[in-house]
C-alpha cells in the first residue's frame, strides 16, 4: 500500500512539473549588446565601482522603472576619469516591479558575460536595457542606429493590413511622453526613449526612429528600429520581425506537448487508482471467504 501511494505521488509531481511548459518569459528575450573594445584590468578600482553600480540596479527596480547612477558619488568628490562609472537601467513603461526586476537581473547577468572587462556595455532586452560607461552619457542625445530589422512583406494586395500598419506607426508619432503604445486589431506598436533625455530630445529621437520604421518596415508584418537612446517597433500577430515567429511556434509546440503529457499522466493515474481499488476489493472478498 505504501508503494502504491508513493507511485501516485511521483506521477502527481511529474504532472505538476510538465504542466508549466515555459521556463522564461517574454521580458527575458535578448535583442542585442554593444561592448567597447577597450578593457579594464581585473581587480581594478573601475571593476569595484562597476560591480557596485550593477548591484544598485537590483534594489532600485522595486521602486522605479528607470534610474541612473554615478559611482563613486560622494558629495563634492572629484570624478576621476577611468575610475568613475556612469550607468542606467530602464524597463518598458508597462512593466510591473517584479517583471522589471526579472528583466534587469537577466540583462545584468548577460552584460557581465558578453562585455566582460569592457569599459562600456549596452544590453537591450525585449523589455529593458542596462548601460554603463566610463564617460557620462546622461542627457546626451544620440540617434546612432544600433539595430534594424523588418519582417516579411505584406504585399500590395492587402491594403487593409497596410492601412492598419500605417495607422499604428502614425499613432506612435503623434503620441506624447517617453513611452508610447498604439494598436489596431492584431497590430501592436510601442516606442520609448531613455528618461535621461529632455522632452524635446526624446521627441526628436523618437521621431527619427518612427520615421525610419515607417520608411523601411512600413510594408512588413513587423519590424523594429533601435537607436542609441530610443526605439520604435510594431508587430502583426505578436511578431516584431520575421525571426520572432519561430519563438511563437516553439511556445505553441511546448503547450501542445504539455497538454499531451498532462492527458497521458491523468490516464496513468486513473489506471493506477483503479488497480489499487481492484486490489482492495479482492482483498476484502478474500477476507470474507476465509471467515
Amino acid at each position: 500500500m505504501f508503494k502504491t501511494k508513493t507511485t501516485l505521488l511521483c506521477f502527481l509531481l511529474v504532472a505538476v512539473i510538465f504542466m508549466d511548459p515555459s521556463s522564461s518569459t517574454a521580458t527575458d528575450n535578448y535583442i542585442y549588446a554593444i561592448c567597447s573594445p577597450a578593457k579594464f584590468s581585473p581587480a581594478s578600482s573601475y571593476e569595484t565601482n562597476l560591480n557596485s553600480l550593477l548591484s544598485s540596479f537590483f534594489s532600485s527596480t522595486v521602486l522605479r522603472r528607470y534610474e541612473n547612477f554615478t559611482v563613486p558619488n560622494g558629495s563634492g568628490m572629484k570624478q576621476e576619469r577611468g575610475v568613475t562609472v556612469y550607468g542606467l537601467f530602464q524597463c518598458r513603461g508597462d512593466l510591473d516591479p517584479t517583471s522589471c526586476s526579472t528583466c534587469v537581473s537577466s540583462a545584468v547577468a548577460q552584460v557581465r558575460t558578453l562585455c566582460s572587462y569592457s569599459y562600456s556595455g549596452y544590453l537591450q532586452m525585449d523589455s529593458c536595457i542596462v548601460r554603463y560607461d566610463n564617460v557620462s552619457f546622461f542627457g546626451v542625445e544620440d540617434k546612432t542606429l544600433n539595430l534594424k530589422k523588418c519582417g516579411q512583406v505584406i504585399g500590395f494586395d492587402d491594403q487593409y493590413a497596410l492601412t492598419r500598419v500605417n495607422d499604428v506607426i502614425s499613432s506612435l508619432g503623434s503620441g506624447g511622453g517617453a513611452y508610447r503604445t498604439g494598436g489596431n486589431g492584431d497590430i501592436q506598436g510601442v516606442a520609448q526613449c531613455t528618461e535621461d533625455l529632455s522632452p524635446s530630445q526624446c521627441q526628436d529621437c523618437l521621431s527619427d526612429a518612427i520615421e525610419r520604421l515607417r520608411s523601411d518596415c512600413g510594408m512588413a508584418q513587423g519590424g523594429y528600429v533601435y537607436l542609441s537612446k530610443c526605439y520604435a517597433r510594431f508587430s502583426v500577430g505578436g511578431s516584431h520581425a520575421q525571426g520572432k515567429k519561430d519563438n511563437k511556434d516553439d511556445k505553441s509546440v511546448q503547450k501542445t506537448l504539455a497538454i499531451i503529457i498532462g492527458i497521458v499522466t491523468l490516464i496513468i493515474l486513473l489506471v493506477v487508482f483503479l488497480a489499487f481499488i481492484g486490489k482492495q476489493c479482492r482483498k476484502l472478498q478474500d477476507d470474507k471467504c476465509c471467515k
Side-chain angles (χ1 to χ4, degrees), residues 88-284:
L88 64 77
F89 75 85
Q90 179 166 304
C91 293
R92 202 176 62 217
D94 62 336
L95 253 60
D96 59 79
T98 300
S99 298
C100 180
S101 180
T102 298
C103 187
V104 171
S105 296
S106 179
V108 167
Q110 293 188 61
V111 80
R112 285 183 185 274
T113 301
L114 296 174
C115 299
S116 179
Y117 301 116
S118 290
Y119 270 109
S120 67
Y122 187 125
L123 192 134
Q124 175 78 57
M125 303 286 282
D126 184 79
S127 300
C128 69
I129 62 169
V130 294
R131 181 178 181 181
Y132 69 87
D133 205 321
N134 64 334
V135 178
S136 178
F137 54 88
F138 303 147
V140 178
E141 186 176 1
D142 186 354
K143 297 187 289 184
T144 302
L145 178 63
N146 289 341
L147 185 66
K148 181 194 71 175
K149 184 176 182 181
C150 304
Q152 294 178 338
V153 175
I154 294 175
F156 288 102
D157 55 331
D158 195 349
Q159 288 297 317
Y160 179 59
L162 290 172
T163 299
R164 287 186 298 151
V165 167
N166 182 69
D167 289 344
V168 170
I169 295 177
S170 296
S171 68
L172 296 178
S174 61
Y179 175 70
R180 308 173 185 182
T181 60
N184 189 331
D186 63 343
I187 303 176
Q188 302 296 318
V190 60
Q192 187 173 23
C193 68
T194 55
E195 294 184 30
D196 61 307
L197 297 180
S198 67
S200 61
Q201 289 175 325
C202 178
Q203 177 61 42
D204 186 43
C205 188
L206 286 176
S207 295
D208 197 340
I210 292 167
E211 185 54 40
R212 287 174 184 253
L213 187 66
R214 184 196 305 278
S215 61
D216 296 347
C217 305
M219 296 184 63
Q221 294 182 10
Y224 49 66
V225 173
Y226 286 94
L227 308 184
S228 289
K229 285 296 186 81
C230 67
Y231 69 84
R233 66 193 190 199
F234 76 96
S235 63
V236 178
S239 173
H240 292 302
Q242 187 175 355
K244 289 282 186 176
K245 288 189 175 181
D246 295 335
N247 185 46
K248 186 179 180 182
D249 292 341
D250 289 343
K251 288 183 178 179
S252 297
V253 172
Q254 288 178 342
K255 288 181 180 179
T256 302
L257 181 61
I259 292 172
I260 294 173
I261 292 174
I263 293 174
V264 172
T265 302
L266 288 175
I267 293 174
I268 294 173
L269 283 171
L270 181 61
V271 171
V272 172
F273 177 72
L274 291 175
F276 174 74
I277 295 298
K279 184 178 180 180
Q280 294 301 312
C281 290
R282 286 193 298 271
K283 184 177 180 181
L284 289 173

